[in-house]
Structure formats: structure tokens, C-alpha cells
Amino acid sequence: QVQLVESGGGLVQAGGSLRLSCRASGKTFSINVMGWYRQAPGKQRELVATISKGGSTNYADSVKGRFTISRDNAKNTMSLQMNSLKVEDTAVYYCETKAGLGNTYEFWGQGTQVTVSS
């Protein structure tokens, strides 16, 4: 089992910045890919960004150039630096990881609210 705890959400004005953090505990040696997802009211959960154990990253087109994902494998943490925030970035942001051989297992954090005001 892997437990994930997010922090860093809050209220910010459009154009501002926030930094989200995710801390993993438990069987962290089994973690492979880590990622951030978000879910806005009335919408499906969507991918924001992922990062592999080796540091390869992938971003949704909507956040490219504004968000930066990073991880520290030694500390079992992952971050999402969000700049130039837009009202449409408002959502609950979830930390996610795939673990085990063949990424068999998937774990989620409880989510953290990000609200961007106009």
C-alpha cells in the first residue's frame, strides 16, 4: 500500500501562482509514475501532468508552459508549480501514483482544492 497526502491548495487571483505538494508513505519503493489530476465541478477527472521515476514529464495541453511537475525520489515527494493561473484551473487536484510490476497498483490522495478568482 502507498498513502498519498496533498498540501498547498488554496485561493488565488487569476495570474497568480500556487505550489502543490504530495508526500508518499508506505511501500514507496514500488512507486513508478506519479501524477497530478484535477476535477472541476460537473466535469470528469482529467490528467494535469505526470512524471516518471527517471524524471520524464508529460503535460496536458491546457497547462503546458504554465505548470511544472517535479519529484524527489529520495524524499518520496512530488510537487506541482502552477503559474499564470486561470479561472478555469479551479478544481480539486489529486496526487496519483502507479506502483508495482507493470504499474499494477494505483493509489490516490484525498485531493486539495485550488480556487482561482477573477
Side-chain angles (χ1 to χ4, degrees), residues 42-53:
K43 294 188 177 181
Q44 289 189 330
R45 192 171 297 188
E46 63 177 4
L47 170 72
V48 175
T50 62
I51 184 166
S52 71
K53 205 166 189 176

Side-chain angles (χ1 to χ4, degrees), residues 17 38 40 51 74 78-80 89-90 106-108 110 117:
S17 299
R38 67 186 182 187
I51 184 166
M78 175 180 65
S79 296
L80 184 71
D89 294 319
T90 295
E106 186 175 43
F107 302 97
W108 292 89
Q110 81 286 354
S117 64

Side-chain angles (χ1 to χ4, degrees), residues 44-112:
Q44 289 189 330
R45 192 171 297 188
E46 63 177 4
L47 170 72
V48 175
T50 62
I51 184 166
S52 71
K53 205 166 189 176
S56 297
T57 59
N58 178 55
Y59 294 93
D61 287 343
S62 59
V63 306
K64 280 181 182 176
R66 300 188 297 123
F67 291 10
T68 302
I69 190 172
S70 61
R71 68 188 280 180
D72 185 329
N73 293 328
K75 296 181 178 180
N76 300 312
T77 58
M78 175 180 65
S79 296
L80 184 71
Q81 178 65 42
M82 305 185 293
N83 298 329
S84 302
L85 282 161
K86 303 177 180 180
V87 172
E88 50 263 43
D89 294 319
T90 295
V92 178
Y93 284 69
Y94 296 91
C95 173
E96 179 262 6
T97 185
K98 293 179 176 61
L101 288 174
N103 293 326
T104 304
Y105 304 99
E106 186 175 43
F107 302 97
W108 292 89
Q110 81 286 354
T112 186

